[in-house]
């Protein structure tokens, strides 16, 4: 499978590279574009401030340009938190998308979004301050209306970015469960 994996608001940190290596070890081709051009951050607040300085349109433009050379191959879009929201936006606009793997995040859905049974898998903490229960319920219904085939996995007690071993949110049990399920999902595409 061809996978483009977008980083979180912390930037392209070692955890993203390790995740890409894990996916490659499972036989996938993986690209990890650096939307922050080498910048990484120690706190969510620093990353969000930098992200806001770039602006949503510029960030999406960078993501589209990063995906463009590979999109004809039929990409699986994937991402962590902010990167998941970017992956979702791109996948919903790419008729050749093969799947969408969301880790720790979702995004708004355009009213006219339409896909043909796009396989989508979301992994998120429960509770998650950035992905509230009400938001996720509405998101799930909207994705279904758009034509996506959605699976949601919740991890009780895990922190927001629980798959990143370099952050305080890390939860080894939840992270390993996520990767087991996600790798199985990718095998079905």
């Amino acid at each position: 499978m061809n996978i483009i994996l977008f980083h979180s608001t912390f930037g392209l940190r070692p955890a993203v590279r390790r995740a890409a290596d894990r996916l490659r070890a499972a036989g996938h081709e993986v690209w990890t574009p650096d939307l922050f051009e080498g910048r990484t951050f120690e706190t969510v607040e620093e990353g969000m401030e930098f992200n806001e300085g770039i602006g949503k349109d510029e960030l999406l433009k960078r993501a589209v340009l990063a995906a463009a050379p590979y999109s004809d191959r039929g990409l699986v879009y994937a991402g962590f938190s902010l990167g998941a929201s970017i992956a979702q936006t791109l996948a919903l606009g790419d008729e050749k998308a093969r799947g969408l793997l969301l880790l720790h995040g979702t995004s708004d859905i355009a009213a006219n979004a339409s896909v043909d049974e796009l396989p989508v898998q979301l992994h998120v903490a429960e509770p998650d301050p950035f992905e509230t229960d009400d938001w996720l319920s509405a998101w799930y219904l909207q994705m279904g209306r758009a034509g996506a085939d959605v699976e949601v996995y919740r991890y009780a007690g895990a922190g927001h970015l629980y798959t990143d071993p370099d952050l305080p949110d890390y939860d080894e049990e939840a992270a390993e469960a996520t990767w087991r399920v996600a790798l199985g999902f990718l095998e079905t595409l």
Side-chain angles (χ1 to χ4, degrees):
M1 200 55 47
N2 297 300
I3 302 169
I4 189 159
L5 180 62
F6 293 103
H7 61 75
S8 75
T9 196
F10 286 94
L12 185 57
R13 301 177 40 172
V16 179
R17 290 187 179 95
R18 286 192 298 267
D21 288 343
R22 184 182 284 230
L23 294 167
R24 288 182 188 110
H28 305 290
E29 190 159 356
V30 184
W31 296 275
T32 55
D34 186 350
L35 304 181
F36 288 177
E37 300 174 333
R39 299 286 308 270
T40 59
F41 302 95
E42 296 300 316
T43 69
V44 170
E45 293 78 18
E46 290 172 343
M48 289 174 79
E49 183 178 332
F50 182 78
N51 176 33
E52 289 169 12
I54 293 173
K56 184 176 182 177
D57 290 343
E58 175 62 22
L59 203 59
L60 283 174
K61 177 182 168 189
R62 292 177 185 185
V64 167
L65 290 173
Y70 315 108
S71 62
D72 279 346
R73 300 179 187 197
L75 286 170
V76 172
Y77 290 88
F80 297 96
S81 193
L82 168 69
S85 70
I86 292 167
Q88 177 186 305
T89 300
L90 269 57
L92 292 180
D94 181 354
E95 63 187 30
K96 293 182 181 178
R98 298 279 306 273
L100 176 59
L101 177 60
L102 302 171
L103 302 163
H104 322 296
T106 61
S107 183
D108 293 330
I109 301 165
N112 63 347
S114 178
V115 293
D116 187 16
E117 296 183 13
L118 178 71
V120 178
Q121 195 173 84
L122 168 64
H123 297 268
V124 66
E126 181 179 30
D128 187 311
F130 300 102
E131 301 290 326
T132 65
D133 291 344
D134 288 348
W135 167 261
L136 287 174
S137 294
W139 174 86
Y140 180 84
L141 292 172
Q142 289 174 327
M143 286 294 280
R145 276 190 227 112
D149 181 12
V150 180
E151 299 176 339
V152 178
Y153 294 86
R154 305 288 305 268
Y155 300 87
H160 175 65
L161 272 168
Y162 64 83
T163 59
D164 188 331
D166 300 323
L167 294 176
D169 285 350
Y170 182 60
D171 183 313
E172 183 178 10
E173 186 177 331
E176 288 307 312
T178 294
W179 285 115
R180 260 191 317 277
V181 173
L183 289 169
F185 169 71
L186 292 170
E187 289 301 315
T188 68
L189 303 179

